[in-house]
Amino acid sequence: MRLAAIASALAIVLCVAVFGAILLQKASIPVPALAPPQATPTEGRAPGSVVTVANNAAESAVAAPTVVAQASPAPPMPAAMPTSCSNPNALGVARMVEIDTTGGPGFGFEHFKSHDFLREGEVVLTFDDGPWPKNTPAVLAALAAHCTKAIFFPIGLHATYEPGILKQVAAAGHAIGSHTWCHQDLSKTKGRCNVNGKVQAVEYNPKDEIEMGISAVHWAVGAPTAPYFRFPALRQPQELIDYLGKRNIAIFSTDMDSFDFKMRKPEQVRQSVMEKLKKHGKGIVLVHDFQRATAEAAMDLLNDLKAGGYKIVFMQPKYSVTTIASYDEAILKQLKGPMTDTRPTSSVVRTISE
């Protein structure tokens, strides 16, 4: 009996030892951890604000949409230099915001409702159709006197006429987008344009109109420009909105169109803008530095804004626009003679004695 009890005890100890060894071996085998769900950006106008979470890697591979927008669309834009202002009654810039144009966000409640970032009484000034002799410099002088900043949407063809003026716009720290090559209606493919000094009927590809304008403005400025675009007459085909989204270019509509191109007197322009601002309370204002009446109204309009307690917001782009090489080359072919020298005159000609 005693021997039997000892044998039984040894058997129990042996079983426990074997079972413990098995448990130890299992514990030493690494168990692959489950991968965390992958967040994939969804297509949209506010990159990073909406994500789709897949349950596993396989589902993610199937469900994730194609991402056409780059994480970094282009080199960063140089920061807008602060303006020293000696005018105690200047509008100035009350607030500066940085705009990430990845995916082509839209601004201006006439067409886009996603981004309501302006506070009551805040105004973004935008000028279309320049650069133009006398008119654009007059607008620049008014903005400088009020130490404030705006966004310009030049026509590419005009930029090739007056690159020096557009360089002044850039030197003053304003944002410069684009407004097509020849101000064509991009919902169509036929229009009229100045070709070799004569206005004539033309056929065009809307994407070419967009890209030629971007390249022409970039050439004229000779420095980084903003990935901002405004459709002529605000006619915005969906396929081109999608195209600009893939190009990481923000689209600007407006909150209030002054219709200053219909006006001949400066006071009409002032009245139009101020009445619409009073109605809306805030917003992106569309006027034209191409128009003489607007140029003549500019200083008084800024005085009106100051007197009305409005505050200017400047939309600084996070990235610069990326041009397409083939269109850059096409612009150079459009230019003849010394205009193809893109160096600023100050680097070519220098006064050494007077």
Side-chain angles (χ1 to χ4, degrees):
M1 290 293 293
R2 193 171 176 186
L3 288 174
I6 293 172
S8 176
L10 288 173
I12 292 172
V13 171
L14 182 61
C15 288
V16 170
V18 170
F19 184 69
I22 292 172
L23 285 178
L24 185 62
Q25 183 178 12
K26 284 187 176 182
S28 66
I29 297 173
V31 180
L34 290 177
Q38 297 297 307
T40 57
T42 61
E43 183 178 356
R45 300 301 176 198
S49 64
V50 180
V51 294
T52 298
V53 179
N55 292 328
N56 54 55
E59 183 181 340
S60 175
V62 174
T66 301
V67 180
V68 294
Q70 304 167 15
S72 298
M77 279 289 292
M81 297 298 291
T83 303
S84 58
C85 193
S86 58
N87 178 5
N89 298 314
L91 265 172
V93 175
R95 188 161 67 102
M96 184 180 295
V97 295
E98 183 180 78
I99 305 300
D100 183 348
T101 63
T102 306
F107 299 96
F109 266 53
E110 188 166 323
H111 292 93
F112 303 105
K113 313 297 184 185
S114 296
H115 300 294
D116 184 11
F117 69 96
L118 291 176
R119 303 164 186 164
E120 191 68 16
E122 289 188 335
V123 175
V124 175
L125 295 172
T126 67
F127 293 88
D128 285 12
D129 294 359
W132 205 248
K134 297 184 179 179
N135 296 342
T136 303
V139 169
L140 287 176
L143 293 170
H146 268 278
C147 305
T148 195
K149 299 192 186 300
I151 304 173
F152 286 77
F153 292 94
I155 295 171
L157 190 59
H158 291 179
T160 65
Y161 295 160
E162 300 292 342
I165 294 178
L166 206 53
K167 284 180 171 65
Q168 293 174 29
V169 176
H174 304 292
I176 302 176
S178 60
H179 196 42
T180 73
W181 165 249
C182 200
H183 205 267
Q184 301 292 358
D185 181 345
L186 298 187
S187 66
K188 303 177 180 179
T189 57
K190 293 182 180 179
R192 297 180 68 79
C193 186
N194 190 320
V195 180
N196 297 324
K198 295 181 179 180
V199 176
Q200 52 189 274
V202 294
E203 292 188 17
Y204 53 87
N205 180 314
K207 290 181 182 178
D208 291 345
E209 264 289 299
I210 292 172
E211 296 296 350
M212 286 282 285
I214 293 171
S215 288
V217 168
H218 189 266
W219 169 84
V221 173
T225 53
Y228 293 170
F229 180 81
R230 180 173 272 154
F231 284 89
L234 302 179
R235 291 176 182 163
Q236 307 178 155
Q238 185 60 48
E239 63 271 19
L240 295 180
I241 290 177
D242 295 340
Y243 175 75
L244 289 165
K246 294 176 182 178
R247 289 279 282 112
N248 297 311
I249 295 173
I251 304 166
F252 279 73
S253 178
T254 183
D255 292 311
M256 57 206 80
D257 189 341
S258 66
F259 292 103
D260 57 344
F261 56 89
K262 297 181 178 180
M263 301 168 185
R264 295 292 175 266
K265 297 180 179 180
E267 53 267 29
Q268 293 175 312
V269 178
R270 293 168 59 191
Q271 182 179 2
S272 173
V273 172
M274 297 309 295
E275 285 183 353
K276 290 179 179 180
L277 263 176
K278 185 177 180 180
K279 177 182 177 181
H280 292 275
K282 62 179 183 177
I284 297 171
V285 175
L286 193 169
V287 286
H288 298 78
D289 57 311
F290 177 76
Q291 298 295 328
R292 179 183 58 81
T294 300
E296 292 177 354
M299 183 66 77
D300 287 333
L301 175 58
L302 296 179
N303 291 338
D304 292 342
L305 291 172
K306 176 67 176 180
Y310 293 98
K311 299 182 183 299
I312 300 299
V313 172
F314 181 57
M315 298 173 69
Q316 166 76 20
K318 184 175 183 179
Y319 302 109
S320 60
V321 74
T322 301
T323 61
I324 296 175
S326 60
Y327 290 100
D328 293 340
E329 294 167 5
I331 290 300
L332 292 179
K333 289 179 181 178
Q334 290 275 342
L335 305 171
K336 297 178 181 179
M339 289 185 69
T340 55
D341 187 349
T342 59
R343 295 174 296 166
T345 301
S346 60
S347 71
V348 178
V349 180
R350 182 173 64 89
T351 300
I352 57 175
S353 66
E354 288 185 339

